[in-house]
Amino acid sequence: MASRLGVDELLHVFSFLEAPDLLRAAQVNAVWNEVSRTKELWRKLCLRRWSSCRASQVVPGRQTWKQYYLSRSELEFRVESGRPEDFVCKAIAGHTGQIDQLAYVSTNDYCFDGREKSVVCTVSADCTVRAWDLHEGTEIWSSPVQPAPLVNLVTYPQQQLVITVDTQGLIKVWKAETGCEGASFSLLTSCAAMEAYDRPEDPFLLVVCAEGNLCTLMVPQLTVVSKVATFPHASLGFAGSPDGQWVFIFPQHLDLGPQVFYIQSLLDPLEDEPPVSTMLPVSLASRACWAPVEAARLIVMHRNNDCTQMIVTTFELKAEKSKDRVTTVVQQMFSFPLPDTMMPPHLMQSHGSQVILLACGSKLVLFTIYGRHLTTFHDHQRSITSLWLDANRVITSSLDLSLRIYMWNKENQVPALKSCYHLLGGSHRWASGFIHVKSDSMSIVAVEARSIGTSILRSYCFKVRHN
């Protein structure tokens, strides 16, 4: 049979095979081996397994679709297994003060041709911003010492920019590759929160200052296009929707209704008209997040009217446009009370369209937006300090000096979370726990706080097959 089938017939038959069978067929003879390496066969396998896979990730002359498939499959196996032989752990020191925030500035693309690099930037109480190569475990650049401690940063991987803010509200732009300083802007007061919008054409920055003003700045010039008063002198929460159309601002623990702004009206303000916004019919909000796969599904944790129970309410937002105006439509979808016996959550995130993750002390608790309790994980011995997740994984950091990695099983209608393995930090003699964690496609990095008031980075880079 092997000798009677022509190349076209073989190619048709091979198009029905999965990767393991295609690899077995390649061992039959030289002709089958040659046909099994056909670009289109492996391109279809890649797109079938990873719908977000892009042709730009496979550069002709550097990598084939087959090499991409095999390398990414092996990497995902290592990330899910977490065996000691699957990764390289490095302790990366340099800051002389506590690291207050970190963010990846490298793109999250899967790349296996030797160009891959995981780069993070950090800001610290030592008044510097620095960039780090996690695979090499080295510092790429450090800024000059700034006039005040840096407390927050956001990154623009597509633009290769970093934006920092210090305790005095001074915002600065830095080039991610070189550390060269760019534009700056002063809020004249401290910054409560900021969020980056890394659009290819018109990137911008949303900033909430301590006085309650919401500022919209274009990047990289940091020119102000709008400034709106929200909740004066309140501790504010801040979250932008996945579609980049809405931003949610709420005064934490105050008897005031949170506010949702339509972002386009902040970018294109009309003279003598306020931006398009609406108040939500809840008060005493403490946490909020957006469902990542929905355009504008907002989940808010708040107290009930008599402050006796913690409630989780889900809203959906829509902008209705007419000739000369935009109207915000808010629909309350679901609402449920958290159990009275449950410790008040201090962290909240969402997965998919209907799963809510809550960190309650050392526990990770999962509910649906309908109020169904899915599971509770008791993997940590001390309080969870940070919660990171994407479509495939959840990672928690804790003061017990460990990271816990969970994987989603998406075969059921409601995704199930599986606890897979843990990663340990350094010695408890020197360290007081992990306080932040982030990840990209091939690395995990956490901030390890030291007992003497400083911090280091601890990176876990998964081994990658090179072509």
Side-chain angles (χ1 to χ4, degrees), residues 168-228:
Q168 306 301 314
L170 181 62
I171 300 172
K172 282 190 178 181
V173 178
W174 309 85
K175 289 188 176 181
E177 296 173 327
T178 62
C180 291
E181 186 176 332
S184 63
F185 175 79
S186 178
L187 295 171
L188 302 178
T189 183
S190 60
C191 172
M194 60 182 184
E195 188 160 316
Y197 290 79
D198 195 11
R199 297 181 178 182
E201 301 298 327
D202 55 348
F204 64 96
L205 176 72
L206 291 183
V207 181
V208 177
C209 68
E211 291 183 348
N213 292 321
L214 171 62
C215 299
T216 307
L217 295 85
M218 301 309 296
V219 172
Q221 303 89 350
L222 295 184
T223 52
V224 179
V225 294
S226 65
K227 183 177 179 181
V228 182

Side-chain angles (χ1 to χ4, degrees), residues 7 16 37 170 187 204 228 268 288 294 299 309 360 411:
V7 171
F16 295 97
R37 291 191 292 174
L170 181 62
L187 295 171
F204 64 96
V228 182
D268 300 313
E294 299 290 336
I299 304 165
Q309 266 191 317
C360 309
E411 295 178 358

Side-chain angles (χ1 to χ4, degrees), residues 399-448:
L399 293 177
D400 64 11
L401 204 53
S402 75
L403 307 175
R404 193 76 199 182
I405 288 75
Y406 306 83
M407 303 294 296
W408 292 106
N409 180 351
K410 304 173 187 176
E411 295 178 358
N412 302 324
Q413 185 175 1
V414 177
L417 193 62
K418 177 179 70 171
S419 179
C420 292
Y421 58 94
H422 65 268
L423 300 171
L424 297 178
S427 168
H428 283 279
R429 181 180 179 184
W430 310 110
S432 56
F434 285 125
I435 55 175
H436 297 291
V437 65
K438 304 283 185 182
S439 183
D440 68 358
S441 58
M442 54 189 68
S443 67
I444 299 171
V445 61
V447 176
E448 183 179 301

Side-chain angles (χ1 to χ4, degrees), residues 38-52:
T38 302
K39 179 180 75 172
E40 190 60 23
L41 291 175
W42 289 97
R43 189 185 76 86
K44 287 182 177 178
L45 285 173
C46 287
L47 296 177
R48 190 186 311 163
R49 181 167 176 179
W50 304 292
S51 58
S52 61

Side-chain angles (χ1 to χ4, degrees), residues 195-436:
E195 188 160 316
Y197 290 79
D198 195 11
R199 297 181 178 182
E201 301 298 327
D202 55 348
F204 64 96
L205 176 72
L206 291 183
V207 181
V208 177
C209 68
E211 291 183 348
N213 292 321
L214 171 62
C215 299
T216 307
L217 295 85
M218 301 309 296
V219 172
Q221 303 89 350
L222 295 184
T223 52
V224 179
V225 294
S226 65
K227 183 177 179 181
V228 182
T230 59
F231 304 96
H233 307 291
S235 177
L236 298 177
F238 181 65
S241 63
D243 64 357
Q245 297 298 311
W246 306 93
V247 61
F248 175 70
I249 300 177
F250 61 101
Q252 293 180 323
H253 310 294
L254 290 183
D255 192 12
L256 295 171
Q259 197 166 8
V260 182
F261 288 89
Y262 183 55
I263 287 180
Q264 195 59 43
S265 69
L266 299 172
L267 289 170
D268 300 313
L270 298 176
E271 191 174 353
D272 300 326
E273 283 194 28
V276 178
S277 68
T278 189
M279 303 288 285
L280 297 187
V282 297
S283 59
L284 295 167
S286 57
R287 300 284 179 269
C289 62
W290 298 86
V293 302
E294 299 290 336
R297 177 173 289 181
L298 178 63
I299 304 165
V300 183
M301 187 189 306
H302 60 96
R303 291 282 180 181
N304 61 357
N305 291 335
D306 58 6
C307 301
T308 58
Q309 266 191 317
M310 192 69 78
I311 309 293
V312 177
T313 301
T314 302
F315 299 92
E316 288 205 347
L317 288 85
K318 185 170 62 174
E320 291 189 347
K321 301 178 182 179
S322 61
K323 281 187 177 181
D324 56 351
R325 63 179 301 167
V326 177
T327 304
T328 304
V329 177
V330 178
Q331 182 181 3
Q332 181 174 317
M333 304 294 292
F334 313 101
S335 190
F336 69 92
L338 293 177
D340 293 335
T341 56
M342 185 175 168
M343 179 184 293
H346 59 282
L347 298 172
M348 180 169 76
Q349 294 280 4
S350 176
H351 170 77
S353 61
Q354 55 181 308
V355 178
I356 304 168
L357 299 92
L358 303 173
C360 309
S362 61
K363 300 175 185 176
L364 180 64
V365 188
L366 274 65
F367 287 91
T368 67
I369 58 176
Y370 318 111
R372 175 187 164 198
H373 175 232
L374 297 175
T375 189
T376 299
F377 293 99
H378 302 263
D379 293 318
H380 288 293
Q381 303 301 311
R382 297 184 63 190
S383 182
I384 295 172
T385 56
S386 183
L387 178 61
W388 179 93
L389 70 157
D390 66 3
N392 302 308
R393 291 176 294 158
V394 175
I395 306 175
T396 54
S397 65
S398 171
L399 293 177
D400 64 11
L401 204 53
S402 75
L403 307 175
R404 193 76 199 182
I405 288 75
Y406 306 83
M407 303 294 296
W408 292 106
N409 180 351
K410 304 173 187 176
E411 295 178 358
N412 302 324
Q413 185 175 1
V414 177
L417 193 62
K418 177 179 70 171
S419 179
C420 292
Y421 58 94
H422 65 268
L423 300 171
L424 297 178
S427 168
H428 283 279
R429 181 180 179 184
W430 310 110
S432 56
F434 285 125
I435 55 175
H436 297 291

